[in-house]
Amino acid sequence: HVQLVESGGGSVQAGGSLTLSCVVSVYTYSKRCVGWFRQAPGKEREGVASIHIASGRTTYTDSAKGRFTISQDSAKNTLYLEMNNLKPEDTAMYFCAADGWWFERSSYNVWGQGTQVTVS
């Protein structure tokens, strides 16, 4: 039974930075992707960044390119999302997801509980 636990959310001013972490209880159980999604009130959950575990290849939503960096540390079973130059429109609940493909939300089999990011 794979579990995901996110941390690192918080409240920051515009232009600030946060790094989210997601501990995956069994990191290598899947050879597909792990990723970060976010959901703002009244909006659909959207993909922010995703990484293919085996190859390390990454993809980002357009609004995250140049500001966010996704990375993994398989030795620590941890996925990271470094977020810089945060904007108010980045405010959302951020979710870690595992065993899926890129930004295909329905393909992910495991989800974390979410961590709130608020940018003012």
Side-chain angles (χ1 to χ4, degrees):
H1 180 61
V2 179
Q3 292 182 313
L4 309 180
V5 180
E6 302 105 328
S7 62
S11 297
V12 296
Q13 292 187 337
S17 299
L18 284 173
T19 296
L20 307 183
S21 300
C22 174
V23 177
V24 184
S25 59
V26 184
Y27 198 81
T28 56
Y29 90 105
S30 169
K31 297 302 182 183
R32 301 201 295 172
C33 296
V34 287
W36 290 96
F37 290 75
R38 66 186 178 189
Q39 188 168 18
K43 295 188 177 181
E44 289 192 355
R45 192 171 297 188
E46 63 171 354
V48 177
S50 182
I51 185 168
H52 187 258
I53 292 176
S55 69
R57 181 183 167 194
T58 60
T59 192
Y60 297 89
T61 191
D62 286 345
S63 64
K65 290 177 182 177
R67 300 188 299 128
F68 294 5
T69 302
I70 188 171
S71 61
Q72 58 180 346
D73 185 338
S74 57
K76 295 182 178 180
N77 286 4
T78 303
L79 177 72
Y80 301 99
L81 183 67
E82 179 182 354
M83 305 185 294
N84 297 310
N85 190 21
L86 283 160
K87 304 175 181 181
E89 50 264 43
D90 295 317
T91 295
M93 184 71 79
Y94 283 70
F95 297 89
C96 175
D99 190 27
W101 285 115
W102 304 116
F103 289 159
E104 293 180 24
R105 188 178 58 194
S106 63
S107 72
Y108 283 83
N109 292 314
V110 188
W111 291 84
Q113 81 288 352
T115 185
Q116 178 68 38
V117 172
T118 303
V119 185
S120 59

